[in-house]
Amino acid sequence: MSGSIETITLGGGCFWCVEAVYERVRGVTAVESGYCNGQVERPSYEQVCEGRTGCAEVVRVSFDTAQISLREVLEIFFVVHDPTTLNRQGNDVGTQYRSGIYFHTPQQEQVAREVIAEVNALHRGKVVTELLPEQKYSRAEDYHQHYFANHPGQGYCAFVVAPKVEKFRKTFASRVREG
């Protein structure tokens, strides 16, 4: 069974949380934290945190379609963040923390529309996840890459990221990467 590598870009609050989850998903081949869909090209983390760039904190998730489908990638996404809070995930508030799926192909857009509709029905029409083509993507600074893996004892990681990783492990046990 041979698949291909596909990439989708996801915004679900702080990119450290989303990155930490997808780094543990079987079938995911690469995860990169970055910024996209704002007015500023190649913004700094500080600029994004100020909330005036329009950029979202995102992760680019590359996955092997022979091992995991886009639908499964999105099902994980909707479990590990709250798609019903506008510009907010927990105590992280601002447009940079918005819920978003930034597609790379028309096929991804179609699958995402279907999954969003299903999740929206479960949440009684309260889903605020935006669905747009990825634009003006730039990679986040090196110190943001693999943040949870490199700083598991840091306060935010211990109290915010770790519970999301644990929720993923419990909900999607069969999808957890070994090792």
Side-chain angles (χ1 to χ4, degrees), residues 133-152:
E134 180 197 89
Q135 297 177 335
K136 296 183 184 174
Y137 175 85
S138 63
R139 184 181 188 276
E141 296 82 351
D142 286 344
Y143 69 93
H144 291 297
Q145 308 304 321
H146 316 291
Y147 196 85
F148 181 67
N150 292 329
H151 307 280

Side-chain angles (χ1 to χ4, degrees), residues 98-157:
R98 66 189 178 265
S99 175
I101 299 171
Y102 305 101
F103 56 88
H104 297 228
T105 67
Q107 295 78 14
Q108 288 181 342
E109 178 184 17
Q110 182 57 41
V111 171
R113 282 192 190 288
E114 292 167 7
V115 175
I116 289 171
E118 292 165 13
V119 172
N120 202 29
L122 291 173
H123 288 285
R124 298 187 173 113
K126 296 180 181 173
V127 170
V128 295
T129 303
E130 68 181 9
L131 178 62
L132 297 167
E134 180 197 89
Q135 297 177 335
K136 296 183 184 174
Y137 175 85
S138 63
R139 184 181 188 276
E141 296 82 351
D142 286 344
Y143 69 93
H144 291 297
Q145 308 304 321
H146 316 291
Y147 196 85
F148 181 67
N150 292 329
H151 307 280
Q154 188 257 12
Y156 187 90
C157 289

Side-chain angles (χ1 to χ4, degrees), residues 38-81:
Q39 294 83 37
V40 176
E41 300 220 20
R42 293 182 293 286
S44 68
Y45 179 66
E46 290 74 20
Q47 288 175 308
V48 173
C49 284
E50 289 171 1
R52 294 190 299 247
T53 64
C55 297
E57 285 193 16
V58 296
V59 293
R60 267 190 175 170
V61 178
S62 297
F63 56 98
D64 181 344
T65 60
Q67 296 182 47
I68 187 169
S69 69
L70 175 58
R71 172 173 279 280
E72 291 170 302
V73 168
L74 295 178
E75 287 169 353
I76 292 167
F77 173 68
F78 281 113
V79 165
V80 298
H81 90 291

